[in-house]
Amino acid sequence: MENMPKQDDTPEPTTISFLNCIDLSTPDVQQSVSLLKQACLDCGFFYVTNHGISQEFMEEVFSQSKKFFELPLSEKMKVLRNEKHRGYTPVLDELLDPDNQIHGDYKEGYYIGVEVPEDDPEADKPFYGPNVWPADGILPGWRQTMEKFHQQALGVARAVARIIALALDLEADFFDKPEMLGHPIAVMRLLHYAGQISDPSKGLYGAGAHSDYGLITLLATDNVYGLQICKDKDAQPQVWEFVAPLKGAFVVNLGDMLERWSNCIFKSTLHRVLGNGQERYSIAYFVEPSHECLVECLPTCKSEKNPPKFPPIKCEAYLSQRYKDTHADLKVYNKH
């Protein structure tokens, strides 16, 4: 693969998964649809390149993310995540794979969602409301950088969703409707893995094995290996492959909600992060439809021989339960 990134400082892992690459700038939409369809049927992961967010700006966002995580813990705890999942998540806060993990994930994070003023009736909904921000005196311009990235990443997600719609034999603008990505629940999460060495045999992971909850996830990473995918979650033993970081690209994966929507035609794939002793930074951008959206089997994904496998469910109810299942109760932080 000619556009594989150069790894200056990271030993290359042995098993690497080669993913399809979707170029958002190409006029050949049909080729993009066919590459995406193949990826979604195979492993649910692919790269997106030429997405319109400049390399300079991506580097600025990573630099600002690093500045936050380098703050003293006492400073970071001032912006601890709230019930709306906004703000700082300490190391071990999240437990994604309770069957195999001894502790929570060896990562810290920072959630930023759709900014909705407190006095807006919409702010009463889960995942909506005002964001939590570090004081401007501590990190000048930090909020503006993150808000700009949140907005630009949503544009990329909508462009990817149009190709997904075509790959599912729907109209290109299927996901653009107001109740879908017109008013989405879009949450970005800055992530920092401090350099702990993972040991699956001892239940120690950077991030435990999980599939994402929502529609799609965009992931921007630095050049340190860590992300692994398992194409067949039912295989015994499970086979894990590394995903190579690709400079300037997003790694995109499908979430459980899209698997449910497509009646399991498209896959939501199990993935995890293994620490190799090096610090690693990444930014995950989770995209889900609006609260009111009813997720029910798509018309093009069902037939007499393949009836809907899941009952319809409202997006809000589905997401709230999934978050509750994987995050520590906030009461554990009262001692701080």
Side-chain angles (χ1 to χ4, degrees), residues 277-318:
Q278 287 178 289
E279 258 190 305
R280 180 173 177 268
Y281 290 88
S282 65
I283 302 164
Y285 191 83
F286 304 102
V287 184
E288 348 288 5
S290 79
H291 294 80
E292 303 308 315
C293 184
L294 194 66
V295 178
E296 56 183 333
C297 185
L298 295 166
T300 55
C301 298
K302 60 185 176 187
S303 62
E304 269 183 48
K305 285 183 182 166
N306 186 23
K309 295 177 173 62
F310 308 97
I313 189 170
K314 256 194 180 173
C315 177
E316 176 184 320
Y318 172 79

Side-chain angles (χ1 to χ4, degrees), residues 129-142:
N131 282 302
V132 174
W133 300 106
D136 207 42
I138 293 175
L139 294 171
W142 198 84

Side-chain angles (χ1 to χ4, degrees), residues 35-55:
L35 282 169
L36 182 139
K37 194 169 191 172
Q38 187 188 17
C40 293
L41 294 170
D42 174 39
C43 67
F45 270 76
F46 50 92
Y47 296 115
V48 165
T49 59
N50 296 319
H51 42 65
I53 302 181
S54 76
Q55 187 57 35

